[in-house]
Amino acid sequence: MLLKPFNTLFKHVLKHQVHDPILLKKVTPNFTIGCKRLLFANNYYPALQTDNTTVIASGLERVEGNTVIASDGTRQEVDVIIWGTGFNVSHPPIAERVVNQNGQRLSDLWKDSSPEAYLGTMIENVPNGFLMLGPNVLVYDSFVSLAEAQVEYIVDSLKQMNAKNISKFTIKSDVIAKHNRQVQTQIQKTVFNSGGCKSYYLDENGRNFAAWPWSLKKLRQRLSTFDFNDYDVQYHQQTSQSIVDAPKEIV
């Protein structure tokens, strides 16, 4: 794995920054760097080493009054509890409000399986429907960059739609199926799946529904031009009248 040398390097950096061997053991990851999202901050480890900070390296089990109890039995009195529980990525709330052309709610379709999309932007059986920052489009980069690439793709589709007199388009079933097979095959080789950690990229079945297995450059290339060959297309009906000169009456 390409990231293993970096893993060794950053562990050396960590030893240089954290001097207490007990704390060092608590904060040293047991997985490959990049398996979870990286934290870019210069004050994180210094903050952990201040006198008024205690690191408990176990999950929270319960709360009794103003005491938190960790899964290893550690008890700690606190004044404030901040719930950093994140958000629901595997089952996005928007799915509750989207019904496809077969009358199926996306939340029902995705209830027992991971969300799927084409280039994180188009959903099967949802005509003219676009999704921003959808399944398997996340890479180590700014969400703004990802959104900009998707917006270019969407705008290009609308321009072509207008120019070609198209009323409705839907991603082809074989196209989206092939795309997701390729994504899931390639993503097995990435640190997200092989790095040895459990992250929000993986659902309860261990399937990676979130990450893009290639580079941002490749994603931008794929989203640079909207190709209607990937879609089932329906055109507006055109009505035209042919004007035929009636024969002149011969007197």
Side-chain angles (χ1 to χ4, degrees):
M1 186 183 296
L2 294 176
L3 288 174
K4 282 189 176 180
F6 292 96
N7 201 56
T8 303
L9 172 63
F10 281 105
K11 282 186 177 180
H12 283 299
V13 173
L14 184 57
K15 288 181 181 179
H16 179 72
Q17 292 185 341
V18 180
H19 308 294
D20 182 355
I22 297 177
L23 178 60
L24 177 62
K25 185 177 180 180
K26 289 181 179 180
V27 299
T28 299
N30 59 358
F31 49 83
T32 304
I33 186 172
C35 188
K36 294 187 178 184
R37 292 187 68 85
L38 298 177
L39 174 65
F40 295 98
N42 294 326
N43 55 2
Y44 178 66
Y45 291 120
L48 296 183
Q49 298 175 82
T50 56
D51 294 336
N52 61 348
T53 302
T54 301
V55 176
I56 300 174
S58 297
L60 179 65
E61 185 173 272
R62 65 186 187 276
V63 179
E64 295 180 356
N66 65 336
T67 301
V68 293
I69 296 94
S71 56
D72 66 353
T74 302
R75 304 173 67 90
Q76 180 69 46
E77 290 188 5
V78 296
D79 297 320
V80 176
I81 298 175
I82 300 174
W83 294 104
T85 56
F87 45 91
N88 194 340
V89 182
S90 59
H91 298 286
I94 188 64
E96 293 280 351
R97 298 183 176 274
V98 178
V99 178
N100 68 16
Q101 63 186 3
N102 299 325
Q104 300 166 300
R105 197 178 302 276
L106 292 187
S107 57
D108 294 331
L109 292 174
W110 292 348
K111 181 172 59 177
D112 299 320
S113 62
S114 298
E116 287 189 346
Y118 180 64
L119 296 174
T121 312
M122 309 300 296
I123 305 173
E124 188 174 11
N125 294 321
V126 181
N128 300 355
F130 304 102
L131 188 65
M132 297 295 294
L133 302 175
N136 292 112
V137 77
L138 302 182
V139 294
Y140 275 123
D141 207 285
S142 166
F143 275 14
V144 175
S145 298
L146 301 178
E148 287 176 345
Q150 287 182 289
V151 167
E152 291 176 3
Y153 187 75
I154 294 170
V155 170
D156 188 33
S157 74
L158 296 177
K159 288 180 178 178
Q160 291 192 54
M161 186 181 184
N162 184 57
K164 298 176 181 179
N165 202 36
I166 294 172
S167 63
K168 183 173 74 173
F169 58 90
T170 311
I171 187 68
K172 294 178 179 178
S173 296
D174 59 331
V175 171
I176 191 171
K178 180 180 178 181
H179 170 72
N180 282 287
R181 282 197 305 270
Q182 292 174 336
V183 166
Q184 291 304 315
T185 297
Q186 291 299 315
I187 212 164
Q188 300 303 318
K189 306 174 185 178
T190 67
V191 69
F192 305 119
N193 282 49
S194 61
C197 75
K198 182 179 180 181
S199 71
Y200 75 81
Y201 291 124
L202 307 177
D203 64 13
E204 57 271 18
N205 300 315
R207 186 178 185 275
N208 194 322
F209 64 92
W212 172 256
W214 300 286
S215 65
L216 177 60
K217 180 180 179 181
K218 184 167 184 176
L219 178 61
R220 283 188 173 277
Q221 289 174 342
R222 294 287 302 276
L223 291 169
S224 62
T225 304
F226 191 95
D227 188 355
F228 270 109
N229 291 320
D230 294 331
Y231 295 83
D232 291 318
V233 177
Q234 181 176 315
Y235 294 87
H236 286 290
Q237 292 184 351
Q238 290 183 323
T239 57
S240 59
Q241 295 180 345
S242 298
I243 300 176
V244 180
D245 291 335
K248 295 181 180 180
E249 185 177 354
I250 300 176
V251 179

